Amino acid sequence: MLLAAYVGYLGLGAGVLQALERPAEVQAAQHLLQQHWELLANHTCLQGPGLQRLIEGVIQAYKSGITLQGNITSLGRWDFSGSFFFSISAITTIGYGNLSPSTAAGRIFCILFALFGIPLNLVVLNEIGQLMLLGVQHCARHLEEVFHRQKKASLLIKTCALVTGLLLFFLLPPLLFSDKEGWSYEEGFYYSFITLSTIGFGDYVIGMNPDHTYPGWYKNVISLWILFGMAWLALVIKFCINFLE
């Protein structure tokens, strides 16, 4: 029964996503094809194979973090802050997919780095989660001594911890993303959950817009937000698992 419910839940997700996203995919494909033929028709000096090679080159360069800005190219994804952010996305297994090592040495190092980094990250997240849990339990015991009602004190503290976590990790960060990235609040909230849950689609990633100038502290603060946010969300998911079981 559990396996049937699991497969049924996946089937439900697939059906809903197909109904919601397939029409937009078809429309985007038609629009791209129309732009392709209009470009070739308006610029007869261009040839189809040559244009295709240029498009593939632009896509490959963008995956490597290089974009064209007029007659120059922009770099910056592999500076120290960008590399630090990539490192934390690797060992937290978020794996956005928008950036990856392009050299053989970089790929080998990434394997070794993740091999030891992922267990280290799990240990750190577990310790942070335990500290958060101990803090909640300490506050609950203190309230219990004050009000002499164990169940109500525990429920109040857990509710406060849940609301505080929601504010710090989900409701307030989208405001920062709106300011620094130009995203809507809904896009920032979506990015927050996709990141902290380690799903990491890579459709939204902070600090990747070449037209924006980011402060030096930005990626470092977001890295800390990811670390503590994942620890908090892990506790919430653990509670949900216990509830389902």
Side-chain angles (χ1 to χ4, degrees):
M1 288 179 64
L2 181 61
L3 181 60
Y6 180 77
V7 174
Y9 191 77
L10 291 176
L12 174 64
V16 172
L17 287 172
Q18 182 183 16
L20 293 175
E21 298 296 330
R22 183 65 174 177
E25 180 188 32
V26 172
Q27 184 179 2
Q30 293 174 346
H31 182 65
L32 177 62
L33 190 60
Q34 181 182 357
Q35 286 184 315
H36 177 266
W37 289 117
E38 286 179 355
L39 182 64
L40 290 177
N42 295 331
H43 300 82
T44 55
C45 59
L46 292 176
Q47 296 181 351
L51 178 61
Q52 184 65 29
R53 287 194 297 272
L54 174 62
I55 293 173
E56 292 174 355
V58 170
I59 293 174
Q60 188 60 41
Y62 181 77
K63 288 181 178 179
S64 301
I66 302 170
T67 57
L68 282 172
Q69 293 180 319
N71 293 324
I72 61 173
T73 56
S74 67
L75 301 172
R77 291 191 179 184
W78 286 112
D79 57 8
F80 183 80
S81 62
S83 300
F84 185 84
F85 188 73
F86 173 81
S87 298
I88 196 169
S89 69
I91 66 172
T92 55
T93 69
I94 296 173
Y96 289 113
N98 68 311
L99 187 63
S100 57
S102 59
T103 64
R107 290 167 182 163
I108 293 173
F109 174 77
C110 189
I111 293 172
L112 297 174
F113 181 75
L115 184 64
F116 294 98
I118 291 173
L120 175 62
N121 176 71
L122 292 175
V123 171
V124 171
L125 288 181
N126 182 64
E127 289 298 320
I128 293 175
Q130 291 300 320
L131 288 175
M132 289 180 176
L133 191 59
L134 286 174
V136 170
Q137 292 172 347
H138 177 75
C139 293
R141 285 195 297 268
H142 181 70
L143 280 182
E144 181 187 349
E145 293 174 358
V146 174
F147 297 104
H148 304 289
R149 293 184 177 180
Q150 181 177 2
K151 290 185 178 180
K152 287 189 176 181
S154 178
L155 180 61
L156 178 61
I157 288 298
K158 288 179 180 178
T159 302
C160 290
L162 180 63
V163 172
T164 302
L166 285 173
L167 284 172
L168 291 178
F169 303 121
F170 285 104
L171 299 180
L172 294 180
L175 299 177
L176 176 64
F177 301 142
S178 297
D179 179 59
K180 300 300 181 184
E181 305 290 342
W183 298 342
S184 66
Y185 186 86
E186 176 271 329
E187 290 171 328
F189 186 84
Y190 167 80
Y191 167 78
S192 299
F193 181 79
I194 293 301
T195 295
L196 297 184
S197 61
T198 71
I199 296 173
F201 288 127
D203 48 352
Y204 289 92
V205 184
I206 60 104
M208 296 299 173
N209 192 333
D211 298 326
H212 290 188
T213 301
Y214 300 99
W217 53 264
Y218 182 52
K219 287 185 177 180
N220 296 328
V221 169
I222 298 302
S223 297
L224 290 175
W225 166 76
I226 290 174
L227 188 63
F228 285 91
M230 284 180 61
W232 175 83
L233 188 59
L235 291 177
V236 175
I237 292 175
K238 183 179 180 180
F239 173 79
C240 294
I241 290 173
N242 293 335
F243 175 77
L244 288 174
E245 288 181 341

